[in-house]
Structure formats: structure tokens, C-alpha cells
Amino acid sequence: MTATTTETRVSSRPSALPTERRRFRLPFSGWHLVLIPLAALFAAPLIWLALSSVMSDAEINRFPPALWPSKIDLGGYRYVLGNSMFPRWLLNSVIVSAVAVTTNLVFGVLGGYAFARMRFAGSKLILVLMLATMAIPFQLTMIPTFLVMKKLGLIDTLGALIVPALVTPFAVFLLRQFFMALPRELEEAAWIDGCSRLRVIFSIVVPLARPALSTVAVLTFLTTWNDLSWPLIAINHDTQYTLQLGLTTFQGRHHTHWSAVMAGNVLTVLPVLIAFLFAQKAFIRSVASSGLKG
């Protein structure tokens, strides 16, 4: 009886189940702990640029430098926007960048498709030579380019800035990589229906290549918009200045209007930021789809 009662008591006790350890999970990816400080580090110069543009020259020149404006001073923006040449410089930059983007898209599509789909004598050699030009620094080509532009009579005109940027090897190569990733069956079906090669390119291939085209457009715009070295060599008259070249006139030998320089840089950077924000998804898709192909 006693043994039975003891067994009943032992069996009636709840079994000691192992307690599960609850893992603490963050409401976001752990990579954010690394990426957020990096993003803040890269954004710090832009933030300081925006804050400095609403400071006075005295605050900007103060040591140690002020990190926050004591009051909002829009004198730099008034100086920049009140400059009669600033709208002309902005228009020149827009013209040069728009033409460069358009021609790089058109010639890049034609050249990239030719290297991706057409086989002709020396095609691989021409492609290798074209890509090799990307390794040549600008310092080695600026004098020959200047002499060519001088022979064409384009020095001190916007044509001197547009002609060298009509098409770049990078645009041709990136679009060639993207076209090689497209299935040939789509083009063959169009050929069977009687489409010409040009109609196949602009009706079928180009709509499918929007991510790559967006990447070429953004990178070409960034390069052309921010270029200072070549305009500094090819342009002499202030009516042909681009924004980047015009901003250098705010810096004098004995006195520099730093609030105007900062305000001008803010106005110059804004179009670049807007263009990248609108095209960043297409940029990522293009790199993911064309960077590992070929």
C-alpha cells in the first residue's frame, strides 16, 4: 500500500520539462547597426554644407568652426541668385548634360547591341581596344582633345564640352552586358514577323533595357554635371561657363565669399541628388542583372 501510494505521488508530479530559451530579436536587420553609422558618416559633409550655406562669412571663418548657425542668414543665396550670370551658367550645364545623356543613350544602345548580337570582323578586338581607353587618365588625353577641338573651331563654345561627351565606352559596355542577358527568342520572333533590326532594337530591346538605360543616364549626368577640369581648359568667356566653372568665380585671391560658395554648391548638388533618388532602384536592378553576365 505504501509503495503504491509513493508511486502515485511520484507519477502525479509534473514532469520537469526543459524551458525553451527565448531569443531576443531586433525589430530590424542587424546590418542596420553598421549601415546607419556609415550613412551618417557619408551624409555629414552634405549636412554641414547645407548648414554652412545659411551661415554668415564670419561664422564660417570662425575657429573652431561653427557646427550650427546662430541664426539663418540667406545672404549667400541672395548673392548667388542675384548674380546675373548664374541663370546662364545653369542653362549651359543643363544643355551640356541633356545632350550628353541623350547621345550616350542613343549611341550606347546602337553600339552595345552591335557588340552583343552582331558578329563582324575584328569585333572582339575593337571591344577590347574600346575598353582599354577607359584605363587612360584624362591628363593624357586633354591636350590631344584640346587640339582637335581647336581644329574644329569649338574652343570657348558649348560644343567643346558636348562633342567629347557624345558617347563613352562605359555606356556601350554596360548596355552590351545587359543585351547579352536578354533571350534571343524575343528578337527572333520579331524577325519572323517581318521587323527590321532597328525596329527590333527600339520596339523590343530598348523597353526591356530600362534599368540599364537609367543607369547610363544617371552616371552620364553625374559625370557631365560635375565636370570642372575640361571646362576649365576649353572655356574662357564667362557666358559659356557651366555651374561648376562659374562657382570658382566666387573665390577671389584676397577674399572669398564662403556663404555664396556654400549656397552655390547646395544649388548645384540638388539636381544630382534628385536624379539619383529617382533612379536608384533602376540603378540597383541594372547592376544586379548586368554585372555578372557576359
Side-chain angles (χ1 to χ4, degrees):
M1 184 66 179
T2 304
T4 304
T5 304
T6 303
E7 291 177 0
T8 303
R9 290 177 179 176
V10 171
S11 62
S12 62
R13 292 177 181 177
S15 59
L17 297 176
T19 58
E20 296 182 357
R21 295 181 178 178
R22 295 182 179 180
R23 295 181 178 179
F24 177 74
R25 293 185 178 181
L26 296 173
F28 49 84
S29 174
W31 282 105
H32 289 179
L33 297 176
V34 178
L35 296 178
I36 291 176
L38 286 177
L41 181 64
F42 284 111
L46 292 177
I47 296 174
W48 189 81
L49 173 66
L51 293 176
S52 298
S53 67
V54 294
M55 293 182 186
S56 62
D57 288 344
E59 279 188 295
I60 296 176
N61 293 323
R62 190 176 67 188
F63 185 83
L67 300 179
W68 191 264
S70 58
K71 65 176 182 178
I72 303 298
D73 187 350
L74 300 179
Y77 287 96
R78 285 193 294 268
Y79 183 88
V80 172
L81 298 177
N83 191 319
S84 59
M85 297 303 299
F86 187 82
R88 181 63 181 267
W89 299 338
L90 177 62
L91 178 62
N92 291 341
S93 292
V94 170
I95 292 174
V96 173
S97 300
V99 174
V101 169
T102 303
T103 55
N104 270 271
L105 291 178
V106 175
F107 295 138
V109 165
L110 297 176
Y113 185 85
F115 283 116
R117 290 290 190 260
M118 301 172 64
R119 294 292 178 265
F120 51 89
S123 60
K124 293 185 178 180
L125 177 61
I126 295 174
L127 179 62
V128 171
L129 293 176
M130 182 191 68
L131 295 178
T133 61
M134 297 175 62
I136 301 176
F138 170 73
Q139 289 78 6
L140 295 180
T141 61
M142 62 181 181
I143 295 178
T145 304
F146 179 85
L147 295 177
V148 171
M149 294 299 105
K150 185 178 180 180
K151 290 289 185 181
L152 295 176
L154 297 178
I155 292 298
D156 207 16
T157 66
L158 294 183
L161 308 181
I162 293 174
V163 172
L166 287 177
V167 64
T168 59
F170 175 79
V172 176
F173 176 71
L174 181 65
L175 291 171
R176 180 246 184 194
Q177 294 298 98
F178 194 91
F179 294 154
M180 291 187 67
L182 296 178
R184 292 177 178 267
E185 289 77 8
L186 297 174
E187 302 166 44
E188 293 173 353
W191 290 335
I192 293 175
D193 291 339
C195 292
S196 63
R197 189 178 292 275
L198 284 178
R199 187 174 179 183
V200 168
I201 293 174
F202 291 104
S203 298
I204 297 176
V205 176
V206 169
L208 295 175
R210 288 178 182 175
L213 294 175
S214 300
T215 302
V216 171
V218 170
L219 294 181
T220 303
F221 176 77
L222 291 176
T223 303
T224 309
W225 185 270
N226 294 325
D227 189 17
L228 174 62
S229 301
W230 177 239
L232 192 62
I233 298 171
I235 302 298
N236 299 319
H237 201 272
D238 58 354
T239 58
Q240 304 299 322
Y241 282 1
T242 58
L243 269 179
Q244 301 295 339
L245 191 55
L247 290 179
T248 60
T249 61
F250 296 156
Q251 301 181 27
R253 180 177 297 180
H254 302 290
H255 176 71
T256 298
H257 198 341
W258 285 113
S259 60
V261 173
M262 298 301 179
N265 278 290
V266 169
L267 296 176
T268 304
V269 168
L270 277 179
V272 177
L273 290 178
I274 294 173
F276 181 77
L277 289 176
F278 276 103
Q280 60 177 337
K281 292 183 179 180
F283 180 84
I284 295 173
R285 286 200 302 267
S286 174
V287 173
S289 58
S290 63
L292 301 178
K293 298 291 183 179

